[in-house]
Amino acid sequence: MKIRQILQGKTVNALYSVSSDQTVLDALRVMAEKNIGALLVVDKGVLTGIFSERDYARKVILKDRHSDDTLIADVMTANVITIGPDQRLEECMQIMSDKHIRHLPVMDNGELIGIISINDVVKAIIVDQKTRIDSLESYISGSPY
């Protein structure tokens, strides 16, 4: 399965973002409102970082910073690992596992087209395995697919 297929199958494929000059509190409000664990940081149409719950815990709370006066630029992850839409699900899983990350922005020819979360990956694996099991059961029982 390719990442493009996962993006197409998502019920909500919205790209939520903040700019690096916004405060952490602004980002947290968006994350709470949208019930998401990370926000893309986009400045002048360019992906410049990602801000996650992990960034908040480690770079704000544990450093005794305040959400209302700390800028996203000061706590975001700037070196964003991205994937392409034609990469395979297995590659995506390997990257997430190796890098200990839960979100991967998807870029296509320099354009941000989506984001894949660990939740999206798990759902895709479950659907794929169910399809394979159903197909094998049909084959074994002699039923038409």
Side-chain angles (χ1 to χ4, degrees):
M1 179 179 293
K2 292 190 177 184
I3 298 306
R4 184 180 310 278
Q5 293 169 283
I6 296 172
L7 287 177
Q8 291 169 346
K10 288 177 74 164
T11 52
V12 176
N13 193 23
L15 291 172
Y16 300 111
S17 66
V18 290
S19 61
S20 62
D21 61 353
Q22 287 184 265
T23 66
V24 168
L25 186 58
D26 293 334
L28 292 174
R29 285 183 174 136
V30 174
M31 291 165 68
E33 178 186 323
K34 304 301 181 187
N35 194 30
I36 54 176
L39 279 172
L40 300 169
V41 182
V42 177
D43 293 307
K44 297 179 182 171
V46 176
L47 178 66
T48 57
I50 190 166
F51 177 74
S52 68
E53 293 167 331
R54 184 178 290 171
D55 291 321
Y56 178 66
R58 293 179 181 179
K59 299 174 186 174
V60 178
I61 296 296
L62 292 178
K63 302 278 185 182
D64 283 330
R65 291 179 166 176
H66 299 278
S67 301
D68 58 349
D69 64 3
T70 300
L71 297 179
I72 290 296
D74 297 329
V75 294
M76 70 182 190
T77 299
N79 297 323
V80 184
I81 298 167
T82 63
I83 55 174
D86 292 321
Q87 285 185 258
R88 302 200 59 74
L89 176 62
E90 294 80 10
E91 292 176 82
C92 180
M93 289 173 25
Q94 191 66 53
I95 292 168
M96 287 179 153
S97 178
D98 290 348
K99 303 294 183 183
H100 305 283
I101 56 178
R102 297 180 185 144
H103 301 88
L104 283 170
V106 183
M107 303 289 288
D108 191 15
N109 295 320
E111 180 185 347
L112 182 63
I113 63 166
I115 187 167
I116 297 293
S117 71
I118 191 70
N119 191 38
D120 299 326
V121 170
V122 170
K123 284 180 183 178
I125 290 169
I126 290 169
V127 168
D128 185 55
Q129 288 181 344
K130 178 160 181 17
T131 301
R132 288 176 194 230
I133 290 168
D134 291 348
S135 179
L136 288 170
E137 285 177 345
S138 293
Y139 176 77
I140 291 169
S141 69
S143 302
Y145 294 65

